[in-house]
Amino acid sequence: MRFDIISAVPELLDSPFNHSIMKRAADKGLLEVHVHNIREYGLGNYRQIDDYQFGGGAGMVMMCEPLANCIDKLMAERDYDEIIYLTPDGKRYDQKMANQLSLKENIMLICGHYKGIDERIREHYVTLEISIGDFVLSGGELAAAIIVDSVGRIIPKVLGDETSALFDSFQDDLLAPPVYTRPADFRGWKVPEILTSGNLPKIEEWRYDQALKRTQERRPDLLGDE
Ligand code: ADE
């Protein structure tokens, strides 16, 4: 799977994909992430990428031409399954969207800055607009990193234990149950006995009950009984 990220601050994306699971996915040839500096497509000697908004008002808008030239170049090289614009007024991101995106081959992510990008790019190129939550970031880069991380880790064969992503929080509309590791007794704080019993069916049952309890307490909306 391949991500192409268009950014005005590519330095923000130097590190997130070079560690841990993302690095393993890249090393296995399962995930490629390419970051494109929109400034290289900027206009004139100053490589201009933004301008004042028509109609007045504070804040700059990212211009059509640099974005269109960058997108056109990428589209000439391969077909994209989705061209995604990260924006607070997009569709709210969740695990279901991550699952759907993990089945795609090529995804382009456009990071906005300042007041956002010229609406005509959204109309003519963008196929999906995503918000990672009801708050405003200073740019789309951190949102893009979240999309790549959450999608990248569920590409088949990325996780060592192939089934483990299935038990993540949200995969079955339940939060994950509590987990413990050694020692079984730390400062007198004991691990629930069932987990050291070796009785696998009982352990599964306990985990399901805990997941349900946790979801009821913390996120009843996931169970449809808010
Ligand atoms: N860019 C700025 N804020 C954002 C958000 N909440 N989600 C996605 N992209 C953004």
Side-chain angles (χ1 to χ4, degrees):
M1 175 169 199
R2 175 179 171 125
F3 282 97
D4 285 282
I5 308 178
I6 300 177
S7 165
V9 197
E11 299 79 9
L12 278 174
L13 296 166
D14 277 349
S15 171
F17 315 121
N18 295 329
H19 306 279
S20 180
I21 293 170
M22 291 303 103
K23 180 169 190 307
R24 210 187 315 153
D27 290 347
K28 285 183 182 170
L30 299 169
L31 177 67
E32 274 182 54
V33 184
H34 300 267
V35 183
H36 307 275
N37 187 349
I38 189 65
R39 186 109 3 226
E40 286 172 17
Y41 299 81
L43 307 183
N45 288 342
Y46 293 103
R47 300 244 169 239
Q48 185 182 359
I49 56 167
D50 58 347
D51 209 338
Y52 297 101
Q53 52 179 318
F54 279 123
M60 306 292 271
V61 175
M62 286 175 73
M63 301 163 80
C64 282
E65 194 174 335
L67 281 168
N69 287 342
C70 181
I71 298 168
D72 285 344
K73 178 169 177 286
L74 290 171
M75 285 174 74
E77 290 165 2
R78 70 195 58 76
D79 290 332
Y80 285 89
D81 301 297
E82 297 286 2
I83 298 180
I84 298 173
Y85 174 47
L86 286 322
T87 174
D89 59 6
K91 187 171 174 206
R92 180 80 81 80
Y93 192 58
D94 62 14
Q95 189 64 47
K96 281 190 189 70
M97 286 169 87
N99 292 348
Q100 281 161 6
L101 292 177
S102 74
L103 304 175
K104 312 280 185 189
E105 208 56 51
N106 296 310
I107 294 180
M108 197 188 299
L109 297 174
I110 303 173
C111 305
H113 263 271
Y114 322 111
K115 276 277 166 202
I117 66 174
D118 191 299
E119 187 69 18
R120 289 166 289 186
I121 296 292
R122 299 171 71 160
E123 280 169 13
H124 294 282
Y125 287 105
V126 169
T127 59
L128 180 63
E129 301 189 328
I130 293 181
S131 164
I132 60 156
D134 288 345
F135 43 80
V136 181
L137 300 165
S138 56
E141 282 75 11
L142 297 182
I146 282 169
I147 305 276
V148 173
D149 188 288
S150 54
V151 171
R153 65 188 289 282
I154 52 176
I155 298 172
K157 300 204 185 76
V158 165
L159 289 182
D161 173 358
E162 274 216 44
T163 58
S164 68
L166 296 175
F167 298 109
D168 288 344
S169 281
F170 304 114
Q171 278 298 9
D172 45 12
D173 283 338
L174 288 181
L175 301 181
V179 291
Y180 302 84
T181 186
R182 288 186 292 180
D185 184 341
F186 175 68
R187 298 181 181 168
W189 306 335
K190 296 199 176 58
V191 166
E193 243 168 61
I194 181 77
L195 294 177
T196 52
S197 69
N199 186 338
L200 290 182
K202 281 276 169 225
I203 290 173
E204 278 315 301
E205 201 181 309
W206 180 88
R207 285 187 170 144
Y208 178 76
D209 290 346
Q210 290 291 318
L212 196 59
K213 180 165 170 272
R214 193 159 268 202
T215 310
Q216 271 158 352
E217 284 166 6
R218 301 181 183 197
R219 291 293 305 277
D221 57 299
L222 293 175
L223 301 169
D225 38 62
E226 228 170 325

